[in-house]
Amino acid sequence: MESFLITDNQKKPRSTNFQTTTKLIKVTLGSGVFAIPFAYSQSGLLWGVILQLLICITQYKSWCTMVNCLGEEKRQTLIEYLSSIYGDRNWIYILAKVMSILLNFGCGLSYVILFQTTIGEYFDNNLWCRLVMFSFLFIIIFGFSFGKDLQIFTPILKYALLLVYLSFAYLSTLAVVQYQKWGLVEPDIKKVMMAFGIMIFAYDINGVLTEIRVEMEDTRSFKKCLFIAMVLETILYLFFGISSSLLFQSNTDQSIITNFQIEFKGNYPIEITLSILMISYVSILIINTLMVNMPVYQLVNLNTHKIQKFTLKILYVLSQMLTAFLYPNFAIVLSIVGCICCVSLGYIIPYGMTFHYALKPIYQIFNSIIVLFGIAGGVFGIITCFD
């Protein structure tokens, strides 16, 4: 079977350390960043900072562990490595592949939910409008499932992201200036655990981590690039999460943009900013929905039977769309995906890979603590989501 992952047989331009660091930052800043303010509003500022730092540190250690197992000179992706070392029937390989597919599904689902809960607010919430929006999105997502390369949208995405970050910078500055207007929440354990799922989702890099490493000129510098990227991301998340949570203080668990519409209605500068943000937002939502689904589409394309291929794509897109429209709860979906998929890929699998190697007792203890931290957070996070 032909691999759809990057290998030495598919030559790509090698990235410098700066380019690698930039890529690591870009791939992490996905739909999860839009839920970071809600996570802070649930956990409170103190526990939010503590939880985020713990996740950042433990995730960095997990990714470094994965890189150590791959070796400095090897140019293998995670799935290729697990297949070659453990075989295609081993539990760790099956878990990695299943969770990777589910994570892609969850990422695409999160963007569809964001689209519905933000853009949908501008239309009458009746059955007719919902059917039109559902049909419109289905045609776009299913139509692009046959595309082989969506990189043509990268320039649009780049400028849209720039507008989004500039808009968020203005709104966050407003939050800092007017912080005395907003009361801080008193967190409880349930809200903190929901925030755990969202934050680990926001940090997850998964298989993209190894694919970015594959493209490097010097793979030995990867850990340094990863460290710099995660530090910069943490600073961004902290600033954005803390400042924005002061403004996005409400009972809604949907989009922070929708939240703004209610609390600042009639404020002309903010409404202009929100309009710019919304236009950029729509571009990002549609493009990212297409791009995060591409690995699954490419996997389905390996099927030589045309009817089966067509059917699988319809089922995949329909299940994603129906889930989003029947259960449009952005924060809960992100938390569930984070607690299940990101815990498996970010804690269990990296340390499961170390079973193949002889480790000193001190490293075994340290690794076990990190795995238990991830599992405990995931379990209690899931319980909170369904409570």
Side-chain angles (χ1 to χ4, degrees), residues 272-338:
I272 293 177
T273 308
L274 287 170
S275 298
I276 296 172
L277 185 57
M278 185 62 72
I279 294 170
S280 332
Y281 203 55
V282 174
S283 305
I284 292 173
L285 292 177
I286 294 177
I287 294 172
N288 274 348
T289 302
L290 302 175
M291 297 186 80
V292 298
N293 282 332
M294 278 308 293
V296 178
Y297 297 151
Q298 290 173 329
L299 185 62
V300 173
N301 285 336
L302 296 176
N303 191 329
T304 56
H305 197 286
K306 290 185 179 180
I307 296 179
Q308 288 182 358
K309 184 190 303 184
F310 196 84
T311 304
L312 285 172
K313 286 183 179 180
I314 289 180
L315 290 175
Y316 180 82
V317 176
L318 267 182
S319 60
Q320 201 172 63
M321 297 287 296
L322 286 172
T323 304
F325 275 73
L326 294 175
Y327 191 71
N329 195 310
F330 179 60
I332 297 293
V333 167
L334 255 63
S335 189
I336 291 174
V337 173

Side-chain angles (χ1 to χ4, degrees), residues 54-69 78 81-82 86 91-92 95 343-357 359 362-375:
L54 279 174
I55 290 175
C56 178
I57 293 169
T58 53
Q59 283 289 272
Y60 174 73
K61 178 65 172 62
S62 297
W63 301 138
C64 287
T65 300
M66 183 185 295
V67 171
N68 285 337
C69 291
L78 173 62
Y81 170 84
L82 294 176
Y86 298 99
W91 71 269
I92 191 171
L95 180 65
V343 165
S344 299
L345 293 165
Y347 290 112
I348 298 174
I349 289 176
Y351 294 106
M353 293 165 65
T354 64
F355 295 157
H356 195 72
Y357 302 90
L359 295 178
I362 185 65
Y363 292 118
Q364 292 178 348
I365 295 173
F366 186 67
N367 289 352
S368 299
I369 291 173
I370 294 180
V371 173
L372 290 175
F373 167 76
I375 293 176

Side-chain angles (χ1 to χ4, degrees), residues 25-251:
I25 294 174
K26 286 197 299 183
V27 298
T28 307
L29 297 177
S31 57
V33 71
F34 296 110
I36 287 292
F38 176 72
Y40 268 94
S41 72
Q42 295 298 293
S43 63
L45 299 187
L46 176 61
W47 283 106
V49 171
I50 293 174
L51 185 61
Q52 186 179 337
L53 291 177
L54 279 174
I55 290 175
C56 178
I57 293 169
T58 53
Q59 283 289 272
Y60 174 73
K61 178 65 172 62
S62 297
W63 301 138
C64 287
T65 300
M66 183 185 295
V67 171
N68 285 337
C69 291
L70 292 172
E72 297 291 358
E73 302 299 332
K74 294 179 181 178
R75 294 190 182 275
Q76 280 186 309
T77 59
L78 173 62
I79 300 299
E80 289 173 328
Y81 170 84
L82 294 176
S83 177
S84 62
I85 298 297
Y86 298 99
D88 293 352
R89 294 187 178 182
N90 186 273
W91 71 269
I92 191 171
Y93 171 82
I94 296 173
L95 180 65
K97 197 162 186 177
V98 170
M99 289 303 165
S100 295
I101 294 173
L102 288 178
L103 181 59
N104 278 107
F105 180 89
C107 289
L109 174 62
S110 67
Y111 282 110
V112 177
I113 292 176
L114 274 175
F115 187 92
Q116 183 202 354
T117 56
T118 54
I119 309 305
E121 292 291 325
Y122 287 90
F123 302 96
D124 293 332
N125 193 26
N126 55 46
L127 181 60
W128 173 249
C129 286
R130 288 169 64 85
L131 287 175
V132 171
M133 188 182 301
F134 184 93
S135 302
F136 172 71
L137 279 177
F138 179 83
I139 291 171
I140 292 178
I141 297 174
F142 180 71
F144 277 95
S145 70
F146 294 92
K148 295 182 179 180
D149 187 7
L150 296 179
Q151 295 305 315
I152 56 174
F153 294 108
T154 302
I156 301 175
L157 188 61
K158 181 167 53 176
Y159 291 116
L161 280 171
L162 178 61
L163 287 174
V164 166
Y165 295 143
L166 288 175
S167 302
F168 278 147
Y170 168 75
L171 296 174
S172 296
T173 302
L174 180 66
V176 174
V177 173
Q178 300 186 0
Y179 75 96
Q180 292 180 338
K181 285 186 175 183
W182 312 101
L184 302 180
V185 297
E186 289 294 332
D188 57 46
I189 187 64
K190 292 182 179 180
K191 292 181 178 180
V192 172
M193 296 320 299
M194 182 184 291
F196 171 86
I198 293 172
M199 288 185 177
I200 193 174
F201 181 95
Y203 271 99
D204 186 75
I205 306 178
N206 185 22
V208 182
L209 177 94
T210 54
E211 294 207 19
I212 291 176
R213 180 177 173 274
V214 163
E215 299 171 358
M216 288 190 70
E217 288 179 346
D218 181 11
T219 57
R220 292 170 294 183
S221 302
F222 184 76
K223 292 180 186 177
K224 178 182 177 182
C225 296
L226 179 62
F227 177 79
I228 295 172
M230 294 195 75
V231 168
L232 293 175
E233 288 162 12
T234 299
I235 294 173
L236 175 64
Y237 286 157
L238 284 171
F239 175 76
F240 181 60
I242 292 173
S243 62
S244 299
S245 65
L246 297 175
L247 285 177
F248 305 141
Q249 209 53 219
S250 76
N251 294 326

